[in-house]
Amino acid sequence: MSGDTVSLYLDSQIRDWVLFPITLVMILVGVLRHYIVLLLQSAPKKQPKEVIREQRALVRSQILRATASSSPIPPTYYKSISQYLSQAFADGTYLKDGPPQGDAPTTPPNPLTDPAAMDGMMAGMKTQMVMMVPQMVIMGWINFFFQGFVLIKLPFPLTLGFKSMLQRGIETPDMDVRWVSSLSWYFLNFFGLNGLYRLILGNENAADSSRDMSTPFAAAAAPQPGQAQDYNKLFKAERDNLEFSEGLHSWVAKDADTRILQKYGRPIPTS
Amino acid sequence: MELSSSLQKLGAYQPRKNDKSQQLLSRKDALLKTYVAQGDEGWDLIEKLALAALDQGEVQVADECLKLLSDKFPGSPRVEVLTGIRMEVTESSEIALSFYDELLATDSSNAAIWRRKAAVLRRQGKIDQAVQELSSMLDTFYTEVEGWIELADLYNCCHQYAYALQSLSHALLLAPQNPFHFLQFAETAYLALDIPLSLKMYLQVVDMTDDDDEDLAPIDSIPTGITLRAWLGVKLCTHKLLTEPRLVNSSPSQTAPPTTSNLSSLDELSTERLRTAYLNTTGESPPKADKAFIDAMAKIIQ
């Protein structure tokens, strides 16, 4: 390596007309994207009462079960609630489409035919497009105009391992690793600008594109976790849990009389 | 989270003329000038001012606030409920009800509107419809503790104690840390003549509330507030069980009554506790006879 003796001199025009524009364009595109995504995000749709009822039915039984081992309510009341819930789960009272018919297919609905699920997926796709298209355009722009440009020299030495990272697009075996090519500069910005966006736009920004590169369809899949759930099956499973907790039930005030007498130092007759 | 809690507050709102709303109303000019500078808090204040104005019957001030709010937050469920409350004051109940129905038709997930509807129906005296509205709301929004308490209250005022106990048991499940719900349960059970159940619940309240003073043994403390109420309840229950022995085994909830010896020690203990409290508040020795003593205690607690 003779990088120190045989030095490269960069035209300052490269700095003014290539390095700064690439950085500036990428920052601006990120900010712009943030606002476009904000525009595209439709407000979460209000769910009809039946759907909420279906989703929350499980919470009811969970609350009941959570208190079972030291329950605030006496056994008869506990049993009546527990059995009511169990019966309702068995009959499908809480299902949003009413109790299931005998011959109806039990498979979960295809998300492609369900308009509600389709909407969610389209929204995910839309944001995905806003993410991908500008990045592709910028990369094409850099590749077309500035291919093979050396833009900047890092102020610190690096080992050879960084060569493929920092000198993409320049096939020179001997050049010092500290020189950064245009395409590599693009990638460095691509992955490194998130901190800057957080400064400019706050923590919940949508400008960072490297985040969703790794999981292209995560955004589309995430908002719909409950869509394909078969509540009928969940309810049936919950019935077993209910039965189990019914056995665990013990009323917190069951021996309140002896407890209080003990607390106040009264003798407790053994008979 | 904040939205749902403030909606709950609006849902539970009842007009009452008190000093607090009078005070707030007297500051209205200053408030209306400065609210913009206070950001979100300022808007909260405007909402409070509107409610205070309705409390005091100053509809014009309320309208002014409401206009500010609806200009700033068009379509907000909170403002809609507030508009409904404003309507309840001047318009007839039918108009308010149809306004709420309209709101529910567009967005049936707003629990506060259901509660307002129930409140209007209750004021009209249509208890049955109010119960229906509340229970259909609670069927969906199970976790509204206040709703369950209100439903129990509705049942209580038509002497349906068994149903009231059921609604209270849901409230207990949802907030088992609240001794006041236990106390209410015990009192309702007493009214329903389920004395063993009531006794245990009163004792539970005592157990939950009597050790607020860490450094004082419970036996040396002087029962006050909710603990005192609970002790009076215990005394009432033991008195009733001792004088009417047939009640011991007639518990609709099949609660096991305490053993006879436990019962008499509990009776002694509660009498002793109540005497301590009586001596402490009035400074004179309490009446000797059981009945007169209970009456005297009841007066103190009131």
mmCIF file with all atom_site columns, all heavy atoms in Angstrom, chain A residues 150 162-185:
data_model
loop_
_atom_site.group_PDB
_atom_site.id
_atom_site.type_symbol
_atom_site.label_atom_id
_atom_site.label_alt_id
_atom_site.label_comp_id
_atom_site.label_asym_id
_atom_site.label_entity_id
_atom_site.label_seq_id
_atom_site.pdbx_PDB_ins_code
_atom_site.Cartn_x
_atom_site.Cartn_y
_atom_site.Cartn_z
_atom_site.occupancy
_atom_site.B_iso_or_equiv
_atom_site.pdbx_formal_charge
_atom_site.auth_seq_id
_atom_site.auth_comp_id
_atom_site.auth_asym_id
_atom_site.auth_atom_id
_atom_site.pdbx_PDB_model_num
ATOM 1   N N   . VAL A 1 150 ? -14.881 8.760  -7.570  1.00 0.00 ? 150 VAL A N   1
ATOM 2   C CA  . VAL A 1 150 ? -14.392 8.699  -6.196  1.00 0.00 ? 150 VAL A CA  1
ATOM 3   C C   . VAL A 1 150 ? -14.787 10.013 -5.548  1.00 0.00 ? 150 VAL A C   1
ATOM 4   O O   . VAL A 1 150 ? -14.481 11.086 -6.055  1.00 0.00 ? 150 VAL A O   1
ATOM 5   C CB  . VAL A 1 150 ? -12.867 8.525  -6.162  1.00 0.00 ? 150 VAL A CB  1
ATOM 6   C CG1 . VAL A 1 150 ? -12.375 8.638  -4.741  1.00 0.00 ? 150 VAL A CG1 1
ATOM 7   C CG2 . VAL A 1 150 ? -12.488 7.195  -6.759  1.00 0.00 ? 150 VAL A CG2 1
ATOM 8   N N   . PHE A 1 162 ? -12.868 -3.604 4.239   1.00 0.00 ? 162 PHE A N   1
ATOM 9   C CA  . PHE A 1 162 ? -13.901 -2.628 3.923   1.00 0.00 ? 162 PHE A CA  1
ATOM 10  C C   . PHE A 1 162 ? -13.922 -2.265 2.442   1.00 0.00 ? 162 PHE A C   1
ATOM 11  O O   . PHE A 1 162 ? -14.727 -1.466 2.033   1.00 0.00 ? 162 PHE A O   1
ATOM 12  C CB  . PHE A 1 162 ? -13.683 -1.359 4.745   1.00 0.00 ? 162 PHE A CB  1
ATOM 13  C CG  . PHE A 1 162 ? -14.037 -1.526 6.190   1.00 0.00 ? 162 PHE A CG  1
ATOM 14  C CD1 . PHE A 1 162 ? -13.098 -1.876 7.120   1.00 0.00 ? 162 PHE A CD1 1
ATOM 15  C CD2 . PHE A 1 162 ? -15.359 -1.359 6.593   1.00 0.00 ? 162 PHE A CD2 1
ATOM 16  C CE1 . PHE A 1 162 ? -13.441 -2.032 8.434   1.00 0.00 ? 162 PHE A CE1 1
ATOM 17  C CE2 . PHE A 1 162 ? -15.698 -1.520 7.908   1.00 0.00 ? 162 PHE A CE2 1
ATOM 18  C CZ  . PHE A 1 162 ? -14.747 -1.859 8.844   1.00 0.00 ? 162 PHE A CZ  1
ATOM 19  N N   . LYS A 1 163 ? -13.007 -2.860 1.689   1.00 0.00 ? 163 LYS A N   1
ATOM 20  C CA  . LYS A 1 163 ? -12.879 -2.441 0.286   1.00 0.00 ? 163 LYS A CA  1
ATOM 21  C C   . LYS A 1 163 ? -14.177 -2.639 -0.485  1.00 0.00 ? 163 LYS A C   1
ATOM 22  O O   . LYS A 1 163 ? -14.651 -1.745 -1.179  1.00 0.00 ? 163 LYS A O   1
ATOM 23  C CB  . LYS A 1 163 ? -11.751 -3.225 -0.373  1.00 0.00 ? 163 LYS A CB  1
ATOM 24  C CG  . LYS A 1 163 ? -11.236 -2.548 -1.619  1.00 0.00 ? 163 LYS A CG  1
ATOM 25  C CD  . LYS A 1 163 ? -9.938  -3.167 -2.057  1.00 0.00 ? 163 LYS A CD  1
ATOM 26  C CE  . LYS A 1 163 ? -9.401  -2.490 -3.300  1.00 0.00 ? 163 LYS A CE  1
ATOM 27  N NZ  . LYS A 1 163 ? -8.952  -1.114 -3.052  1.00 0.00 ? 163 LYS A NZ  1
ATOM 28  N N   . SER A 1 164 ? -14.788 -3.799 -0.298  1.00 0.00 ? 164 SER A N   1
ATOM 29  C CA  . SER A 1 164 ? -16.010 -4.072 -1.070  1.00 0.00 ? 164 SER A CA  1
ATOM 30  C C   . SER A 1 164 ? -17.141 -3.177 -0.606  1.00 0.00 ? 164 SER A C   1
ATOM 31  O O   . SER A 1 164 ? -18.071 -2.900 -1.353  1.00 0.00 ? 164 SER A O   1
ATOM 32  C CB  . SER A 1 164 ? -16.390 -5.541 -0.930  1.00 0.00 ? 164 SER A CB  1
ATOM 33  O OG  . SER A 1 164 ? -16.663 -5.818 0.413   1.00 0.00 ? 164 SER A OG  1
ATOM 34  N N   . MET A 1 165 ? -17.051 -2.706 0.627   1.00 0.00 ? 165 MET A N   1
ATOM 35  C CA  . MET A 1 165 ? -18.127 -1.859 1.121   1.00 0.00 ? 165 MET A CA  1
ATOM 36  C C   . MET A 1 165 ? -17.967 -0.416 0.654   1.00 0.00 ? 165 MET A C   1
ATOM 37  O O   . MET A 1 165 ? -18.938 0.254  0.323   1.00 0.00 ? 165 MET A O   1
ATOM 38  C CB  . MET A 1 165 ? -18.129 -1.913 2.651   1.00 0.00 ? 165 MET A CB  1
ATOM 39  C CG  . MET A 1 165 ? -19.261 -1.181 3.296   1.00 0.00 ? 165 MET A CG  1
ATOM 40  S SD  . MET A 1 165 ? -19.150 -1.386 5.065   1.00 0.00 ? 165 MET A SD  1
ATOM 41  C CE  . MET A 1 165 ? -19.195 0.289  5.593   1.00 0.00 ? 165 MET A CE  1
ATOM 42  N N   . LEU A 1 166 ? -16.732 0.046  0.633   1.00 0.00 ? 166 LEU A N   1
ATOM 43  C CA  . LEU A 1 166 ? -16.522 1.456  0.364   1.00 0.00 ? 166 LEU A CA  1
ATOM 44  C C   . LEU A 1 166 ? -16.187 1.772  -1.087  1.00 0.00 ? 166 LEU A C   1
ATOM 45  O O   . LEU A 1 166 ? -16.250 2.915  -1.494  1.00 0.00 ? 166 LEU A O   1
ATOM 46  C CB  . LEU A 1 166 ? -15.394 1.993  1.257   1.00 0.00 ? 166 LEU A CB  1
ATOM 47  C CG  . LEU A 1 166 ? -15.733 1.997  2.736   1.00 0.00 ? 166 LEU A CG  1
ATOM 48  C CD1 . LEU A 1 166 ? -14.599 2.583  3.531   1.00 0.00 ? 166 LEU A CD1 1
ATOM 49  C CD2 . LEU A 1 166 ? -17.000 2.803  2.976   1.00 0.00 ? 166 LEU A CD2 1
ATOM 50  N N   . GLN A 1 167 ? -15.787 0.753  -1.837  1.00 0.00 ? 167 GLN A N   1
ATOM 51  C CA  . GLN A 1 167 ? -15.393 1.059  -3.216  1.00 0.00 ? 167 GLN A CA  1
ATOM 52  C C   . GLN A 1 167 ? -16.187 0.267  -4.221  1.00 0.00 ? 167 GLN A C   1
ATOM 53  O O   . GLN A 1 167 ? -15.684 -0.262 -5.191  1.00 0.00 ? 167 GLN A O   1
ATOM 54  C CB  . GLN A 1 167 ? -13.893 0.828  -3.387  1.00 0.00 ? 167 GLN A CB  1
ATOM 55  C CG  . GLN A 1 167 ? -13.115 1.868  -2.633  1.00 0.00 ? 167 GLN A CG  1
ATOM 56  C CD  . GLN A 1 167 ? -11.640 1.662  -2.706  1.00 0.00 ? 167 GLN A CD  1
ATOM 57  O OE1 . GLN A 1 167 ? -11.169 0.735  -3.348  1.00 0.00 ? 167 GLN A OE1 1
ATOM 58  N NE2 . GLN A 1 167 ? -10.895 2.533  -2.041  1.00 0.00 ? 167 GLN A NE2 1
ATOM 59  N N   . ARG A 1 168 ? -17.459 0.169  -3.959  1.00 0.00 ? 168 ARG A N   1
ATOM 60  C CA  . ARG A 1 168 ? -18.327 -0.527 -4.914  1.00 0.00 ? 168 ARG A CA  1
ATOM 61  C C   . ARG A 1 168 ? -18.348 0.256  -6.213  1.00 0.00 ? 168 ARG A C   1
ATOM 62  O O   . ARG A 1 168 ? -18.445 1.483  -6.211  1.00 0.00 ? 168 ARG A O   1
ATOM 63  C CB  . ARG A 1 168 ? -19.730 -0.606 -4.338  1.00 0.00 ? 168 ARG A CB  1
ATOM 64  C CG  . ARG A 1 168 ? -20.657 -1.417 -5.190  1.00 0.00 ? 168 ARG A CG  1
ATOM 65  C CD  . ARG A 1 168 ? -21.656 -2.132 -4.348  1.00 0.00 ? 168 ARG A CD  1
ATOM 66  N NE  . ARG A 1 168 ? -21.010 -2.996 -3.358  1.00 0.00 ? 168 ARG A NE  1
ATOM 67  C CZ  . ARG A 1 168 ? -21.702 -3.869 -2.654  1.00 0.00 ? 168 ARG A CZ  1
ATOM 68  N NH1 . ARG A 1 168 ? -22.992 -3.973 -2.804  1.00 0.00 ? 168 ARG A NH1 1
ATOM 69  N NH2 . ARG A 1 168 ? -21.104 -4.642 -1.780  1.00 0.00 ? 168 ARG A NH2 1
ATOM 70  N N   . GLY A 1 169 ? -18.222 -0.470 -7.310  1.00 0.00 ? 169 GLY A N   1
ATOM 71  C CA  . GLY A 1 169 ? -18.284 0.211  -8.589  1.00 0.00 ? 169 GLY A CA  1
ATOM 72  C C   . GLY A 1 169 ? -16.928 0.644  -9.113  1.00 0.00 ? 169 GLY A C   1
ATOM 73  O O   . GLY A 1 169 ? -16.834 1.139  -10.220 1.00 0.00 ? 169 GLY A O   1
ATOM 74  N N   . ILE A 1 170 ? -15.888 0.497  -8.320  1.00 0.00 ? 170 ILE A N   1
ATOM 75  C CA  . ILE A 1 170 ? -14.542 0.813  -8.804  1.00 0.00 ? 170 ILE A CA  1
ATOM 76  C C   . ILE A 1 170 ? -13.711 -0.447 -8.653  1.00 0.00 ? 170 ILE A C   1
ATOM 77  O O   . ILE A 1 170 ? -13.510 -0.922 -7.537  1.00 0.00 ? 170 ILE A O   1
ATOM 78  C CB  . ILE A 1 170 ? -13.880 1.936  -7.991  1.00 0.00 ? 170 ILE A CB  1
ATOM 79  C CG1 . ILE A 1 170 ? -14.820 3.130  -7.908  1.00 0.00 ? 170 ILE A CG1 1
ATOM 80  C CG2 . ILE A 1 170 ? -12.559 2.331  -8.614  1.00 0.00 ? 170 ILE A CG2 1
ATOM 81  C CD1 . ILE A 1 170 ? -14.283 4.228  -7.055  1.00 0.00 ? 170 ILE A CD1 1
ATOM 82  N N   . GLU A 1 171 ? -13.255 -0.968 -9.767  1.00 0.00 ? 171 GLU A N   1
ATOM 83  C CA  . GLU A 1 171 ? -12.509 -2.219 -9.692  1.00 0.00 ? 171 GLU A CA  1
ATOM 84  C C   . GLU A 1 171 ? -11.021 -1.922 -9.683  1.00 0.00 ? 171 GLU A C   1
ATOM 85  O O   . GLU A 1 171 ? -10.336 -2.112 -10.676 1.00 0.00 ? 171 GLU A O   1
ATOM 86  C CB  . GLU A 1 171 ? -12.867 -3.135 -10.871 1.00 0.00 ? 171 GLU A CB  1
ATOM 87  C CG  . GLU A 1 171 ? -14.353 -3.335 -11.067 1.00 0.00 ? 171 GLU A CG  1
ATOM 88  C CD  . GLU A 1 171 ? -15.003 -4.039 -9.887  1.00 0.00 ? 171 GLU A CD  1
ATOM 89  O OE1 . GLU A 1 171 ? -14.314 -4.808 -9.192  1.00 0.00 ? 171 GLU A OE1 1
ATOM 90  O OE2 . GLU A 1 171 ? -16.197 -3.798 -9.655  1.00 0.00 ? 171 GLU A OE2 1
ATOM 91  N N   . THR A 1 172 ? -10.511 -1.407 -8.604  1.00 0.00 ? 172 THR A N   1
ATOM 92  C CA  . THR A 1 172 ? -9.062  -1.201 -8.519  1.00 0.00 ? 172 THR A CA  1
ATOM 93  C C   . THR A 1 172 ? -8.522  -1.963 -7.329  1.00 0.00 ? 172 THR A C   1
ATOM 94  O O   . THR A 1 172 ? -8.915  -1.692 -6.208  1.00 0.00 ? 172 THR A O   1
ATOM 95  C CB  . THR A 1 172 ? -8.725  0.279  -8.327  1.00 0.00 ? 172 THR A CB  1
ATOM 96  O OG1 . THR A 1 172 ? -9.593  0.781  -7.319  1.00 0.00 ? 172 THR A OG1 1
ATOM 97  C CG2 . THR A 1 172 ? -8.888  1.052  -9.598  1.00 0.00 ? 172 THR A CG2 1
ATOM 98  N N   . PRO A 1 173 ? -7.636  -2.903 -7.534  1.00 0.00 ? 173 PRO A N   1
ATOM 99  C CA  . PRO A 1 173 ? -7.137  -3.682 -6.409  1.00 0.00 ? 173 PRO A CA  1
ATOM 100 C C   . PRO A 1 173 ? -6.215  -2.875 -5.511  1.00 0.00 ? 173 PRO A C   1
ATOM 101 O O   . PRO A 1 173 ? -6.095  -3.175 -4.334  1.00 0.00 ? 173 PRO A O   1
ATOM 102 C CB  . PRO A 1 173 ? -6.382  -4.843 -7.076  1.00 0.00 ? 173 PRO A CB  1
ATOM 103 C CG  . PRO A 1 173 ? -6.090  -4.388 -8.448  1.00 0.00 ? 173 PRO A CG  1
ATOM 104 C CD  . PRO A 1 173 ? -7.124  -3.391 -8.829  1.00 0.00 ? 173 PRO A CD  1
ATOM 105 N N   . ASP A 1 174 ? -5.596  -1.839 -6.000  1.00 0.00 ? 174 ASP A N   1
ATOM 106 C CA  . ASP A 1 174 ? -4.523  -1.193 -5.237  1.00 0.00 ? 174 ASP A CA  1
ATOM 107 C C   . ASP A 1 174 ? -4.929  0.074  -4.505  1.00 0.00 ? 174 ASP A C   1
ATOM 108 O O   . ASP A 1 174 ? -4.183  0.588  -3.688  1.00 0.00 ? 174 ASP A O   1
ATOM 109 C CB  . ASP A 1 174 ? -3.358  -0.830 -6.175  1.00 0.00 ? 174 ASP A CB  1
ATOM 110 C CG  . ASP A 1 174 ? -2.617  -2.075 -6.576  1.00 0.00 ? 174 ASP A CG  1
ATOM 111 O OD1 . ASP A 1 174 ? -2.814  -3.080 -5.866  1.00 0.00 ? 174 ASP A OD1 1
ATOM 112 O OD2 . ASP A 1 174 ? -1.905  -2.041 -7.578  1.00 0.00 ? 174 ASP A OD2 1
ATOM 113 N N   . MET A 1 175 ? -6.112  0.621  -4.780  1.00 0.00 ? 175 MET A N   1
ATOM 114 C CA  . MET A 1 175 ? -6.452  1.913  -4.205  1.00 0.00 ? 175 MET A CA  1
ATOM 115 C C   . MET A 1 175 ? -6.677  1.790  -2.697  1.00 0.00 ? 175 MET A C   1
ATOM 116 O O   . MET A 1 175 ? -7.202  0.803  -2.197  1.00 0.00 ? 175 MET A O   1
ATOM 117 C CB  . MET A 1 175 ? -7.706  2.475  -4.870  1.00 0.00 ? 175 MET A CB  1
ATOM 118 C CG  . MET A 1 175 ? -7.872  3.945  -4.622  1.00 0.00 ? 175 MET A CG  1
ATOM 119 S SD  . MET A 1 175 ? -9.002  4.714  -5.776  1.00 0.00 ? 175 MET A SD  1
ATOM 120 C CE  . MET A 1 175 ? -10.509 3.959  -5.347  1.00 0.00 ? 175 MET A CE  1
ATOM 121 N N   . ASP A 1 176 ? -6.263  2.836  -1.990  1.00 0.00 ? 176 ASP A N   1
ATOM 122 C CA  . ASP A 1 176 ? -6.428  2.860  -0.544  1.00 0.00 ? 176 ASP A CA  1
ATOM 123 C C   . ASP A 1 176 ? -7.914  2.742  -0.187  1.00 0.00 ? 176 ASP A C   1
ATOM 124 O O   . ASP A 1 176 ? -8.765  3.353  -0.823  1.00 0.00 ? 176 ASP A O   1
ATOM 125 C CB  . ASP A 1 176 ? -5.864  4.181  -0.001  1.00 0.00 ? 176 ASP A CB  1
ATOM 126 C CG  . ASP A 1 176 ? -5.827  4.166  1.515   1.00 0.00 ? 176 ASP A CG  1
ATOM 127 O OD1 . ASP A 1 176 ? -6.311  3.173  2.094   1.00 0.00 ? 176 ASP A OD1 1
ATOM 128 O OD2 . ASP A 1 176 ? -5.327  5.141  2.099   1.00 0.00 ? 176 ASP A OD2 1
ATOM 129 N N   . VAL A 1 177 ? -8.191  1.971  0.875   1.00 0.00 ? 177 VAL A N   1
ATOM 130 C CA  . VAL A 1 177 ? -9.581  1.715  1.244   1.00 0.00 ? 177 VAL A CA  1
ATOM 131 C C   . VAL A 1 177 ? -10.281 2.997  1.687   1.00 0.00 ? 177 VAL A C   1
ATOM 132 O O   . VAL A 1 177 ? -11.501 3.073  1.710   1.00 0.00 ? 177 VAL A O   1
ATOM 133 C CB  . VAL A 1 177 ? -9.632  0.651  2.348   1.00 0.00 ? 177 VAL A CB  1
ATOM 134 C CG1 . VAL A 1 177 ? -11.037 0.191  2.604   1.00 0.00 ? 177 VAL A CG1 1
ATOM 135 C CG2 . VAL A 1 177 ? -8.776  -0.534 1.960   1.00 0.00 ? 177 VAL A CG2 1
ATOM 136 N N   . ARG A 1 178 ? -9.514  4.020  2.023   1.00 0.00 ? 178 ARG A N   1
ATOM 137 C CA  . ARG A 1 178 ? -10.135 5.218  2.555   1.00 0.00 ? 178 ARG A CA  1
ATOM 138 C C   . ARG A 1 178 ? -10.919 5.983  1.505   1.00 0.00 ? 178 ARG A C   1
ATOM 139 O O   . ARG A 1 178 ? -11.769 6.805  1.841   1.00 0.00 ? 178 ARG A O   1
ATOM 140 C CB  . ARG A 1 178 ? -9.054  6.133  3.147   1.00 0.00 ? 178 ARG A CB  1
ATOM 141 C CG  . ARG A 1 178 ? -8.439  5.530  4.389   1.00 0.00 ? 178 ARG A CG  1
ATOM 142 C CD  . ARG A 1 178 ? -7.109  6.144  4.683   1.00 0.00 ? 178 ARG A CD  1
ATOM 143 N NE  . ARG A 1 178 ? -7.242  7.508  5.174   1.00 0.00 ? 178 ARG A NE  1
ATOM 144 C CZ  . ARG A 1 178 ? -6.179  8.251  5.512   1.00 0.00 ? 178 ARG A CZ  1
ATOM 145 N NH1 . ARG A 1 178 ? -4.969  7.746  5.399   1.00 0.00 ? 178 ARG A NH1 1
ATOM 146 N NH2 . ARG A 1 178 ? -6.344  9.464  5.940   1.00 0.00 ? 178 ARG A NH2 1
ATOM 147 N N   . TRP A 1 179 ? -10.671 5.730  0.252   1.00 0.00 ? 179 TRP A N   1
ATOM 148 C CA  . TRP A 1 179 ? -11.430 6.417  -0.790  1.00 0.00 ? 179 TRP A CA  1
ATOM 149 C C   . TRP A 1 179 ? -12.793 5.774  -0.948  1.00 0.00 ? 179 TRP A C   1
ATOM 150 O O   . TRP A 1 179 ? -12.902 4.556  -1.012  1.00 0.00 ? 179 TRP A O   1
ATOM 151 C CB  . TRP A 1 179 ? -10.676 6.382  -2.114  1.00 0.00 ? 179 TRP A CB  1
ATOM 152 C CG  . TRP A 1 179 ? -9.367  7.109  -2.046  1.00 0.00 ? 179 TRP A CG  1
ATOM 153 C CD1 . TRP A 1 179 ? -8.141  6.545  -1.946  1.00 0.00 ? 179 TRP A CD1 1
ATOM 154 C CD2 . TRP A 1 179 ? -9.194  8.510  -2.046  1.00 0.00 ? 179 TRP A CD2 1
ATOM 155 N NE1 . TRP A 1 179 ? -7.192  7.492  -1.878  1.00 0.00 ? 179 TRP A NE1 1
ATOM 156 C CE2 . TRP A 1 179 ? -7.797  8.739  -1.933  1.00 0.00 ? 179 TRP A CE2 1
ATOM 157 C CE3 . TRP A 1 179 ? -10.051 9.603  -2.132  1.00 0.00 ? 179 TRP A CE3 1
ATOM 158 C CZ2 . TRP A 1 179 ? -7.264  10.006 -1.900  1.00 0.00 ? 179 TRP A CZ2 1
ATOM 159 C CZ3 . TRP A 1 179 ? -9.500  10.861 -2.110  1.00 0.00 ? 179 TRP A CZ3 1
ATOM 160 C CH2 . TRP A 1 179 ? -8.129  11.058 -1.993  1.00 0.00 ? 179 TRP A CH2 1
ATOM 161 N N   . VAL A 1 180 ? -13.809 6.606  -1.039  1.00 0.00 ? 180 VAL A N   1
ATOM 162 C CA  . VAL A 1 180 ? -15.177 6.086  -1.117  1.00 0.00 ? 180 VAL A CA  1
ATOM 163 C C   . VAL A 1 180 ? -15.757 6.387  -2.485  1.00 0.00 ? 180 VAL A C   1
ATOM 164 O O   . VAL A 1 180 ? -15.681 7.526  -2.958  1.00 0.00 ? 180 VAL A O   1
ATOM 165 C CB  . VAL A 1 180 ? -16.073 6.722  -0.033  1.00 0.00 ? 180 VAL A CB  1
ATOM 166 C CG1 . VAL A 1 180 ? -17.471 6.168  -0.120  1.00 0.00 ? 180 VAL A CG1 1
ATOM 167 C CG2 . VAL A 1 180 ? -15.482 6.475  1.339   1.00 0.00 ? 180 VAL A CG2 1
ATOM 168 N N   . SER A 1 181 ? -16.360 5.382  -3.097  1.00 0.00 ? 181 SER A N   1
ATOM 169 C CA  . SER A 1 181 ? -16.941 5.581  -4.428  1.00 0.00 ? 181 SER A CA  1
ATOM 170 C C   . SER A 1 181 ? -18.359 6.126  -4.318  1.00 0.00 ? 181 SER A C   1
ATOM 171 O O   . SER A 1 181 ? -18.973 6.124  -3.247  1.00 0.00 ? 181 SER A O   1
ATOM 172 C CB  . SER A 1 181 ? -16.969 4.260  -5.180  1.00 0.00 ? 181 SER A CB  1
ATOM 173 O OG  . SER A 1 181 ? -18.012 3.463  -4.701  1.00 0.00 ? 181 SER A OG  1
ATOM 174 N N   . SER A 1 182 ? -18.906 6.574  -5.444  1.00 0.00 ? 182 SER A N   1
ATOM 175 C CA  . SER A 1 182 ? -20.220 7.219  -5.422  1.00 0.00 ? 182 SER A CA  1
ATOM 176 C C   . SER A 1 182 ? -21.311 6.242  -4.975  1.00 0.00 ? 182 SER A C   1
ATOM 177 O O   . SER A 1 182 ? -22.172 6.570  -4.163  1.00 0.00 ? 182 SER A O   1
ATOM 178 C CB  . SER A 1 182 ? -20.553 7.794  -6.791  1.00 0.00 ? 182 SER A CB  1
ATOM 179 O OG  . SER A 1 182 ? -20.520 6.762  -7.751  1.00 0.00 ? 182 SER A OG  1
ATOM 180 N N   . LEU A 1 183 ? -21.248 5.028  -5.540  1.00 0.00 ? 183 LEU A N   1
ATOM 181 C CA  . LEU A 1 183 ? -22.295 4.063  -5.198  1.00 0.00 ? 183 LEU A CA  1
ATOM 182 C C   . LEU A 1 183 ? -22.224 3.702  -3.715  1.00 0.00 ? 183 LEU A C   1
ATOM 183 O O   . LEU A 1 183 ? -23.245 3.583  -3.026  1.00 0.00 ? 183 LEU A O   1
ATOM 184 C CB  . LEU A 1 183 ? -22.139 2.818  -6.065  1.00 0.00 ? 183 LEU A CB  1
ATOM 185 C CG  . LEU A 1 183 ? -23.389 1.984  -6.243  1.00 0.00 ? 183 LEU A CG  1
ATOM 186 C CD1 . LEU A 1 183 ? -24.516 2.849  -6.780  1.00 0.00 ? 183 LEU A CD1 1
ATOM 187 C CD2 . LEU A 1 183 ? -23.119 0.817  -7.172  1.00 0.00 ? 183 LEU A CD2 1
ATOM 188 N N   . SER A 1 184 ? -21.004 3.566  -3.196  1.00 0.00 ? 184 SER A N   1
ATOM 189 C CA  . SER A 1 184 ? -20.862 3.246  -1.777  1.00 0.00 ? 184 SER A CA  1
ATOM 190 C C   . SER A 1 184 ? -21.346 4.396  -0.916  1.00 0.00 ? 184 SER A C   1
ATOM 191 O O   . SER A 1 184 ? -21.931 4.188  0.149   1.00 0.00 ? 184 SER A O   1
ATOM 192 C CB  . SER A 1 184 ? -19.408 2.946  -1.444  1.00 0.00 ? 184 SER A CB  1
ATOM 193 O OG  . SER A 1 184 ? -19.010 1.788  -2.097  1.00 0.00 ? 184 SER A OG  1
ATOM 194 N N   . TRP A 1 185 ? -21.086 5.609  -1.374  1.00 0.00 ? 185 TRP A N   1
ATOM 195 C CA  . TRP A 1 185 ? -21.574 6.774  -0.640  1.00 0.00 ? 185 TRP A CA  1
ATOM 196 C C   . TRP A 1 185 ? -23.101 6.738  -0.549  1.00 0.00 ? 185 TRP A C   1
ATOM 197 O O   . TRP A 1 185 ? -23.697 7.049  0.478   1.00 0.00 ? 185 TRP A O   1
ATOM 198 C CB  . TRP A 1 185 ? -21.092 8.051  -1.317  1.00 0.00 ? 185 TRP A CB  1
ATOM 199 C CG  . TRP A 1 185 ? -21.508 9.298  -0.605  1.00 0.00 ? 185 TRP A CG  1
ATOM 200 C CD1 . TRP A 1 185 ? -22.344 10.250 -1.069  1.00 0.00 ? 185 TRP A CD1 1
ATOM 201 C CD2 . TRP A 1 185 ? -21.124 9.706  0.710   1.00 0.00 ? 185 TRP A CD2 1
ATOM 202 N NE1 . TRP A 1 185 ? -22.515 11.232 -0.131  1.00 0.00 ? 185 TRP A NE1 1
ATOM 203 C CE2 . TRP A 1 185 ? -21.776 10.921 0.972   1.00 0.00 ? 185 TRP A CE2 1
ATOM 204 C CE3 . TRP A 1 185 ? -20.290 9.136  1.685   1.00 0.00 ? 185 TRP A CE3 1
ATOM 205 C CZ2 . TRP A 1 185 ? -21.632 11.597 2.168   1.00 0.00 ? 185 TRP A CZ2 1
ATOM 206 C CZ3 . TRP A 1 185 ? -20.146 9.818  2.881   1.00 0.00 ? 185 TRP A CZ3 1
ATOM 207 C CH2 . TRP A 1 185 ? -20.811 11.037 3.121   1.00 0.00 ? 185 TRP A CH2 1
#
